Amino acid sequence: MSRFDEREPEAAELVRPYVITKGRGLPDEEQLSLVTLVTASADHHQRPTRLSPEEQSMLDLCTAGYLSVAEVAGHTRLPIGVVRILLSALTEGGYLITRPPVQRAALADRDILEEVLNGLRAKFG
C-alpha cells in the first residue's frame, strides 16, 4: 500500500461533509439549535426526487413526529453541523416544520405546596 492510499480515507472524511451539504454554511444557533424540534410538514409526500439520500433519510425520520436536532443527528450518525445544515435546507424548502422547545414551567410557590400538604395531613392523618 502506498502512502497516498494511507491518506485517502482521511481526505474522504474531510470532503464528504462538504459534499453532503453542497458547500452550504451553518445556520444561526437561534434558528436551529440542538434542542429545536423538527417534524415533516403535512405535504411531505410530494417531495421531489432531487433530495439527497441523507435529506430523504432525515425527512423519513421526521414523519413520525417531533424530534430534536440532536436526536436526528444521533439516528443518522452524521456530524451535528451537517445535520443542522441539511435540516435548515429542508425547512427552507418547506419539507420540515420547526418549533422551539417548550419553555420550562415556573416553579410552584412553596407556601401553596405547604398549605396543600397541611390540608392532606389534616384530612388523612
Side-chain angles (χ1 to χ4, degrees), residues 4-64:
F4 178 75
D5 292 336
E6 292 172 3
R7 288 189 289 172
E8 191 172 331
E10 290 178 19
E13 291 174 9
L14 292 175
V15 172
R16 189 167 184 263
Y18 182 82
V19 172
I20 291 172
T21 61
K22 298 176 184 155
R24 294 175 284 211
L26 283 169
D28 293 334
E29 183 69 26
E30 296 84 32
Q31 178 187 1
L32 207 60
S33 70
L34 292 177
V35 293
T36 301
L37 300 174
V38 293
T39 190
S41 64
D43 57 348
H44 70 276
H45 296 293
Q46 299 175 348
R47 47 181 129 144
T49 56
R50 72 176 192 268
L51 293 178
S52 69
E54 292 83 10
E55 289 172 323
Q56 289 192 9
S57 171
M58 287 182 193
L59 198 52
D60 290 339
L61 273 173
C62 294
T63 57

